[in-house]
């Protein structure tokens, strides 16, 4: 009789534990409510065509002040991540290249602040031919993220930031 009572209690405990396990929040959902990005993070890169210009919008998290964006135009797709690194080339070829250094801005690959856009995007617009995430901030002391834009024909560009939501905008005029 004592064994039957113990067996019933064990079965009850097992049923309760099974019910709690079924109700448990999956591990990936548990992290979905918390930001893994301590500083400003780049979330995505979107492109669009307008009659007089092509536009690139980099979506940012809203957890920090807007970054500073430094630009440089080059006829060469070559870049390097730091002084000791070997040269790399943007994967999409064009007539010229615009590099954007966004500081501070990090990239994360997990959680709600994950960068969701392919690292290399082929774009078929008059001025903008491609967008590539050249280097991702967030490693050690470097919190600068660099994008390389492959260009076709363009006359000039304008870079600015906007809020609500935070974003970096690049207009490439035809």
């Amino acid at each position: 009789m004592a064994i039957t009572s113990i067996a019933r209690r064990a079965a009850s405990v097992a049923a309760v534990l099974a019910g709690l396990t079924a109700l448990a929040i999956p591990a990936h959902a548990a992290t979905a409510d918390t930001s893994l990005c301590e500083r400003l993070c780049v979330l995505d890169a979107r492109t669009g065509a307008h009659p007089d210009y092509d536009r690139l919008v980099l979506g940012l998290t809203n957890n920090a002040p807007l970054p500073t964006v430094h630009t440089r135009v080059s006829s060469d797709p070559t870049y390097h991540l730091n002084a000791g690194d070997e040269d790399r080339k943007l994967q999409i070829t064009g007539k010229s290249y615009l590099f954007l250094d966004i500081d501070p801005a990090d990239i994360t690959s997990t959680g709600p602040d994950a960068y969701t856009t392919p690292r290399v995007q082929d774009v078929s617009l008059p001025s903008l031919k491609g967008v590539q995430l050249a280097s991702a901030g967030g490693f050690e002391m470097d919190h600068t993220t660099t994008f390389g834009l492959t260009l076709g024909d363009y006359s000039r560009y304008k870079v600015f930031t906007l809020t609500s939501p935070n974003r970096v905008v690049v207009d490439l005029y035809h």
Side-chain angles (χ1 to χ4, degrees), residues 134-154:
S135 68
F139 301 106
E140 298 174 8
M141 298 300 288
D142 185 15
H143 294 283
T144 300
T145 294
T146 301
F147 282 88
L149 282 59
T150 301
L151 306 176
D153 293 323
Y154 83 102

Side-chain angles (χ1 to χ4, degrees), residues 20-88:
L20 290 175
T21 302
L23 294 173
I25 298 171
H28 64 84
T31 60
D33 292 332
T34 59
S35 172
L36 296 177
C37 185
E38 293 179 15
R39 291 179 174 77
L40 189 77
C41 276
V42 180
L43 301 172
D44 58 18
R46 305 178 304 273
T47 60
H50 298 274
D52 297 328
Y53 61 94
D54 299 338
R55 177 170 277 181
L56 169 68
V57 177
L58 301 172
L60 308 171
T61 55
N62 289 315
N63 61 332
L66 290 170
T68 300
V69 181
H70 300 280
T71 62
R72 65 188 181 283
V73 176
S74 176
S75 60
D76 184 1
T78 304
Y79 67 96
H80 57 274
L81 300 179
N82 57 47
D85 195 23
E86 65 185 53
D87 287 343
R88 299 174 187 216

Side-chain angles (χ1 to χ4, degrees), residues 99-122:
F99 291 91
L100 307 172
D101 294 323
I102 305 166
D103 183 32
D106 294 339
I107 297 286
T108 183
S109 59
T110 59
D113 296 331
Y115 182 72
T116 58
T117 307
R119 291 186 177 252
V120 178
Q121 295 181 67
D122 191 17

